[in-house]
Amino acid sequence: MTDIFLAIFSTIGALAILFASIGILRMPDFYLRLSVTVKAATLGVGFFLLCAAIIFPDVSVTTKAIAITFFLILTAPVAAHMIGRAAYITGAKLWKGTIIDDLEGKYDEETHQLKGEEEEN
């Protein structure tokens, strides 16, 4: 029964990482590539760490796998947000099919600050 769970979880993890790599090739701009890659790769690595925790039933391995998964889920979106913000500030182009640019007109080039909703009015 454990082998079936391992096969299912490792297949899901491998497919998630495969989708992340396909997303890098298929997405039209940097921001979409970043989004797909971070979400799918985090999911894939999480499933592989779950498989490692199942294969090695030692408490230390399971604890480390859970800790790595927790910190990965905690830090990957924050890192992606900061990378995306840096890309936007440095002028990475949006895809021509982008409908809404929520930050348009809210970024001050001189002070490098974002204006809030209350500051615009």
Side-chain angles (χ1 to χ4, degrees), residues 53-73:
I54 293 171
I55 288 175
F56 303 107
D58 186 24
V59 174
S60 66
V61 174
T62 304
T63 305
K64 289 175 186 175
I66 290 170
I68 293 169
T69 304
F70 173 73
F71 286 116
L72 185 66
I73 290 171

Side-chain angles (χ1 to χ4, degrees), residues 12-24 40:
I12 292 171
L15 286 174
I17 292 174
L18 175 68
F19 293 152
S21 62
I22 291 171
I24 290 173

Side-chain angles (χ1 to χ4, degrees), residues 3 5 14-15 17 27 29 51 57 68 86 103 106 110:
D3 292 340
F5 283 124
L15 286 174
I17 292 174
M27 292 296 131
D29 72 346
C51 289
I68 293 169
L103 294 179
K106 294 183 181 180
E110 293 177 12

Side-chain angles (χ1 to χ4, degrees):
M1 188 67 175
T2 304
D3 292 340
I4 294 171
F5 283 124
L6 287 173
I8 291 171
F9 292 155
S10 62
T11 302
I12 292 171
L15 286 174
I17 292 174
L18 175 68
F19 293 152
S21 62
I22 291 171
I24 290 173
L25 299 174
R26 300 277 308 182
M27 292 296 131
D29 72 346
F30 174 78
Y31 304 103
L32 292 172
R33 289 182 193 131
L34 180 67
S35 174
V36 167
T37 303
V38 169
K39 290 175 187 174
T42 302
L43 180 69
V45 170
F47 272 108
F48 281 141
L49 287 169
L50 178 64
C51 289
I54 293 171
I55 288 175
F56 303 107
D58 186 24
V59 174
S60 66
V61 174
T62 304
T63 305
K64 289 175 186 175
I66 290 170
I68 293 169
T69 304
F70 173 73
F71 286 116
L72 185 66
I73 290 171
L74 190 69
T75 59
V78 174
H81 172 78
M82 296 308 294
I83 291 169
R85 184 173 175 172
Y88 188 84
I89 289 169
T90 58
K93 300 294 182 200
L94 294 171
W95 175 46
K96 64 182 176 190
T98 301
I99 298 171
I100 297 173
D101 180 4
D102 288 333
L103 294 179
E104 186 176 15
K106 294 183 181 180
Y107 178 67
D108 187 4
E109 294 282 338
E110 293 177 12
T111 63
H112 300 293
Q113 296 289 323
L114 289 175
K115 298 176 192 170
E117 294 291 331
E118 63 277 351
E119 296 176 29
E120 290 180 8
N121 298 329

